[in-house]
Amino acid sequence: MPEVINLSTEIKKQLPVELVSFMQLAGEVAQSKRQNLYLVGGVVRDLLLGRTSFDLDLVLEGDATDLARELIGVKPGKIIIHSRFGTAKLQWDKWSVDLATARSETYVRPGVLPVVKPGSIRDDVFRRDFTINAMAVALNPGRYGQLLALYGGRDDLEHKLIRVLHEKSFIDDATRIWRALRYEQRLNFRLEPATLRLLRRDIPYLDTISGDRIRHELELIFKEEYPEKALRRAEELGVLAKLLPALKVDDWLIERFGRARKLSLPDVPSFGLYLALLAYRLSGEEIEQLISCLRLPKATAQTLRDAVGIKAEIESLSVSGLAPSSICSLLHGYSSPALVANSLAADSPVAGEHIQLFLNVLRYVKPSLTGEDLKRMGVAQGPRIKEILNLLREARLDGKVSSKKDEEEMVFGVGGLGG
Ligand code: ATP
Ligand code: MG
């Protein structure tokens, strides 16, 4: 008889009390419908590793949308149903839980989403990426907490191995190649030797995956604590080159990623910033290739293009003692993430400081006088107003005026009144 492992102690210790009582309740309701409910996926792996994770994925041998409706009746919250997929998301203030109908998947063509039909927990776990993610914990009363590690996930966890469930896994879905590197590097595991061989063999299948799906995997990598680890491994195995041959992960990049992380700026999305650094040494043409092969959203594409634009000004920005108004005219109009990327990436420390100064101070400088004030002072409506406001801003930046009175004198001085 194989040893029965029960994780109820780990569940109680590692998950929030509210979620634990919800799972028990869900197990009881499932039982009353004579259906089996399981906790699955990453959270089971993390329970065994002693890591916290609050993403609850539940799988029911039965219609999960029915169970979801019943549960939200008992514990009121928001519910989103996807009848076509037999899945539901339950949401409360602090937590959310995904509920899915156990299913089996058949891959008709590499890289194309599979054909899905209801199945058993065994099927559901078999369709998953790696053995360590292919474990389930029973939630029905009587079996509550029992681990179902049908494909050797527990041994692999112990031996720190990333292993696919079957030899066509990467062909069916080559996004798993990126996923394998992400888990390997996050957990400090190793690719099990046969899996590593399959991964190398199946790298060409990355071409079967849509840009949207590859981008999604990269987004997940950039959410890791140290994204450069998975990227470096991807370079070593030739996975990164498949994205774009010119990309490289070296000490230069690793140092910049480290500094980028320390900044954590609210208006700078980490995906855009990391990607701009990764792409910083590419040519304009290569950047356009990256934008199209990852189908980057407009804002992210703009970040990459802006970063190139700023890079072209680095030489001018490297002059010490540059007037603040000149810094502004070189940098105005560019997006924050592109500016931040350049301040980190520029090889000239002076240029870096000038960009910082612009980001933190100069870009917020405004004259005291407004367009309305100018009109009151007799400036004729029209483009002249904007011109004068610009002159005033530049004078403020360079310390030539420092009060409203100075500004008024300047307006009379430049002949703003008669034009
Ligand atoms: P993380 O800690 O990064 O969230 P996770 O294991 O929870 O890891 P998710 O991306 O949230 O990962 O996916 C949940 C589960 O769905 C995984 O554990 C895995 O079993 C399964 N899964 C996700 N993507 C794939 C895929 N491409 N192929 C097979 N199974 C997948
Ligand atoms: Mg998850």
Side-chain angles (χ1 to χ4, degrees), residues 41-43 45-46 55 57 107 127-129 133-134 173 175-176 179 182-183 186 213 217 220 224:
V43 68
R45 173 198 72 218
D46 290 341
D55 270 358
D57 280 311
Y107 285 83
R127 72 182 173 85
R128 287 166 193 269
D129 46 6
N133 288 342
D173 177 356
T175 64
R176 292 171 186 162
R179 297 179 65 83
R182 182 160 63 86
Y183 290 119
R186 179 204 294 175
R213 294 184 68 209
E217 291 305 324
L220 293 176
E224 293 290 315

Side-chain angles (χ1 to χ4, degrees), residues 261-283:
R261 237 182 329 269
K262 291 211 189 86
L263 295 174
S264 73
L265 305 163
D267 63 335
V268 177
S270 62
F271 179 65
L273 180 55
Y274 277 137
L275 197 63
L277 289 172
L278 181 64
Y280 194 74
R281 290 170 293 172
L282 299 178
S283 69

